Amino acid sequence: MYNDNPTINNLKDKSVDESRQGEALDLKTPNTEGGKKFYIESYGCAMNFSDSEIVASILSKEGYSSCTTFTDADLILINTCSIREKAEKNVRQRLRVFDKTKDKKPGVLVGVLGCMAERLKTKFLEEEKLVDMVVGPDAYRDLPKLIAEADDGGKGVNVFLSREETYADISPVRLGSNGVTAFISITRGCDNMCSFCVVPFTRGRERSREPFSIVAEAQDLVNRGYREVTLLGQNVDSYKWKNPETEEMVTFARLLEMVAQVDPRMRVRFSTSHPKDLNNEVLYTITKYHNICNYIHLPVQSGNSRILELMNRTYDREWYKERIDKIYEVIPDCTISSDIITGFCTETDEDHKDTLSLIEYSNFILSYMFKYSERPGTIAHRKYEDDVPEEVKKKRLTEIVDLQNALSLKSNLKDVGETFEVLIEGDSKKSADEFRGRNQYNKMLVFPKNEGLKPGDYVFVKVRDVNSATLLGDIVKHHETFNA
Ligand code: SAH
Ligand code: SF4
Ligand code: F3S
C-alpha cells in the first residue's frame, strides 16, 4: 500500500500528492511534567506513521513527553520518506524551517529518521549541518544512546538494516489517534525488487512479526475502545511465521483469521496486497468473517505486460485481470483500489492506453497515481533510461486521474439510497455538527450527529447525496456491535 493518508482515505484527488504532509503528532504519554519534550513529524506511508509510534514508546520510557509545536521541543524528529524525489525535497524544506529554531534555541537536537536516513546515511550529516542524528528504520532502539551522544556534542548515526528487528515487544504509543482506528505492523522490509522502488534498500529484507504479539496488540486495542485495526506491511500476503515448537506455519490468511477472532466488534483491514501473492485462501477468509472489511488495496502499477516486466512486478496484465475476476467472484461486493505509476521508462502511448483500460476493467474505487520518479541505486536507474518527457508524464497522469475520478463518482452514485454500517471516527472536517466514518468498503461518509453517539459507535447511515470523494447521508439506526 502506498496510502498517502490511510486514515483519512478520501477519494479526492489527494492521490496525486507526493506524500502525506508532515504532521505534528499528539502523544498522550505518562505525566512527565518538567521533563524533556520531543516533537515528531512523519512523512510517507502508513508504515512510517506506525514506526513513529514505536519511537514515541521508546522515548516515553526515557522520560520524554511529546509536544505538538516544534518550537517547544528539546528534540525535533522528522521521520522521512524516499519514495519519490519530491518526498525528499519536502523533508529538506522542513529542515530549513527547523534551522531557524536551532538558531534561537541552541540546545535543541534535530534527528532524521526513516527511509531517507537509511538511504543517505552519513552523507546526510555532511549535507545538513544542523542535523545531530541520522537513524534508520531498524535502529530506533538505539535512539536513547544516540541522543546521549548528541547531547555530549557528538553526532549520532545508526543506519544498519537488520534481518531480525520487528519491534514485536514494543507497545506503540498511539499518536494523534482518534481512539478508534489503529495500525498494527505485521511485517517489515520487502523482498521484492520492483525495479523502480527504493524501499528494499531503505527497509531491508522482509521479516514477519511473531503472530501472538500481533493478536495481543489487537486485544489491547479493543480493550482500550479501538474498533478498527489495519494490518500493515509492504506485502502483507507474503507474511509467514513458523512456530519453532510445533513447526506450524502461520500464513497471512491464518493471521487474518486470528485477528478477526479477537473481537467481532473490531473491524480488520490490511494493506498492501501484492497481486502475485494475494491468494484465494485470503479471499475465502474475508468472506468467512463479517468484521474483515470487503476491501482490497491491490496496486497494479501499469496495465501493460511489457512495462510490468520491466518493472519486475512478476505478474502480467492477464494475471492481474484473473485476480480481479476472482475477487469479484468470491466477494461480489468487494471494493478494490490501486497504485499507478505513469511514464515509466520506455512507456508508449499504446502502453498507457493499456493502463487506462485495465483501470476501467478493474473498476477501482480509488487509485494513488504518480508520475515515475527515478530513484538513485534502483534497478531502473541502473538499467533503463528515464526517457518519457515530463510533459508526456503530466498529460498521461491527468488522463489517469480524470478516468479514476469518473469511476469513483460512478461508484459513489450507485450508493445513493443505500444504507451502510459505518464506524464513527470523529467529527467531520467541515462541521462539529456532523460525524465522519467509513463503511467496510473504505468509503468515507459524513452525516449529522445524533444525541448520545460517539466515536467508536457503529451506526447505519442511508446515503442521500455524493461527490467523487464522500458519501453524505443520515443515520437510520445505531447499534453497539456488528452482531447486535
Ligand atoms: N509495497 C507497496 C508499495 C509501496 S510504495 C506495493 O508494492 O504495492 C507505494 C507506491 O509508490 C507504489 O505502489 C508505487 O505506485 C509508488 N512508487 C514507488 N516507487 C516510485 C517511483 N520511483 N516513482 C513513482 N512512484 C513510485
Ligand atoms: Fe517496493 Fe515492490 Fe516492495 Fe512494494 S513490493 S515496497 S513497490 S519493491
Ligand atoms: Fe514508506 Fe516512503 Fe519508506 S513510502 S517505506 S516511508 S520510502
Side-chain angles (χ1 to χ4, degrees), residues 20 175 183 209-210 238 254 307 313 329 372 375 381 405 439 469:
R20 179 168 166 173
L175 293 165
F183 297 124
R209 177 177 163 189
E210 191 271 304
S238 65
R254 177 73 194 114
I307 294 291
R313 288 291 286 182
E329 179 199 315
Y372 172 59
R375 305 312 292 131
H381 172 235
N405 282 348
N439 63 14

Side-chain angles (χ1 to χ4, degrees), residues 190-194 196-200 234-235 274 301 313:
C190 183
D191 279 351
N192 299 319
M193 271 292 187
C194 301
F196 51 79
C197 185
V198 78
V199 172
Q234 293 301 344
N235 182 3
H274 193 297
Q301 313 298 359
R313 288 291 286 182

Side-chain angles (χ1 to χ4, degrees), residues 306-307 310 343-348 351 384-385 387-388 396:
R306 185 184 66 84
I307 294 291
L310 287 182
F344 188 66
C345 315
T346 76
E347 186 188 72
T348 64
D351 302 336
Y384 315 123
E385 195 188 335
D387 58 355
V388 177
R396 289 182 190 162

Side-chain angles (χ1 to χ4, degrees), residues 197-423:
C197 185
V198 78
V199 172
F201 304 95
T202 63
R203 295 223 158 226
R205 299 303 299 264
E206 184 183 281
R207 288 139 274 166
S208 294
R209 177 177 163 189
E210 191 271 304
F212 304 104
S213 73
I214 297 171
V215 169
E217 193 173 327
Q219 183 65 62
D220 176 59
L221 286 164
V222 180
N223 297 347
R224 290 196 284 132
Y226 284 80
R227 291 292 175 263
E228 184 181 297
V229 292
T230 303
L231 306 181
L232 281 186
Q234 293 301 344
N235 182 3
V236 286
D237 300 270
S238 65
Y239 176 91
K240 66 176 163 326
W241 185 85
K242 192 174 178 183
N243 188 326
E245 279 151 32
T246 61
E247 303 265 298
E248 186 209 3
M249 193 61 95
V250 178
T251 60
F252 179 60
R254 177 73 194 114
L255 178 75
L256 202 52
E257 183 153 41
M258 288 162 74
V259 177
Q261 284 169 343
V262 166
D263 195 309
R265 291 170 303 174
M266 190 177 65
R267 275 183 177 172
V268 185
R269 299 184 187 276
F270 54 90
S271 193
T272 298
S273 294
H274 193 297
K276 81 174 160 64
D277 295 315
L278 176 76
N279 58 40
N280 297 346
E281 212 192 330
V282 170
L283 303 183
Y284 295 127
T285 307
I286 296 175
T287 60
K288 214 165 130 190
Y289 292 91
H290 180 67
N291 57 333
I292 304 180
C293 294
N294 292 1
Y295 164 71
I296 300 174
H297 185 59
L298 193 69
V300 65
Q301 313 298 359
S302 165
N304 175 268
S305 294
R306 185 184 66 84
I307 294 291
L308 284 169
E309 187 164 357
L310 287 182
M311 286 178 162
N312 201 21
R313 288 291 286 182
T314 69
Y315 56 85
D316 61 9
R317 180 183 171 90
E318 291 315 311
W319 173 281
Y320 191 84
K321 281 171 81 175
E322 189 280 329
R323 288 291 76 199
I324 294 288
D325 293 346
K326 192 71 190 176
I327 294 171
Y328 289 139
E329 179 199 315
V330 178
I331 318 165
D333 62 340
C334 196
T335 51
I336 305 173
S337 59
S338 189
D339 292 350
I340 291 147
I341 297 177
T342 190
F344 188 66
C345 315
T346 76
E347 186 188 72
T348 64
D349 279 337
E350 285 307 308
D351 302 336
H352 166 63
K353 282 191 189 127
D354 284 344
T355 299
L356 293 171
S357 71
L358 193 53
I359 293 173
E360 200 145 13
Y361 182 90
S362 310
N363 206 9
F364 300 132
I365 59 150
L366 157 75
S367 291
Y368 295 96
M369 301 159 277
F370 312 101
K371 283 182 289 178
Y372 172 59
S373 164
E374 188 177 71
R375 305 312 292 131
T378 55
I379 298 170
H381 172 235
R382 282 181 272 134
K383 281 174 68 176
Y384 315 123
E385 195 188 335
D386 180 12
D387 58 355
V388 177
E390 185 61 21
E391 318 80 75
V392 177
K393 285 183 184 172
K394 260 194 198 146
K395 183 171 155 283
R396 289 182 190 162
L397 182 64
T398 308
E399 285 175 24
I400 289 173
V401 169
D402 289 348
L403 172 63
Q404 183 56 63
N405 282 348
L407 287 177
S408 301
L409 182 61
K410 199 168 121 202
S411 162
N412 288 355
L413 282 169
K414 276 208 336 234
D415 293 337
V416 176
E418 298 287 330
T419 298
F420 295 106
E421 192 169 40
V422 175
L423 173 61

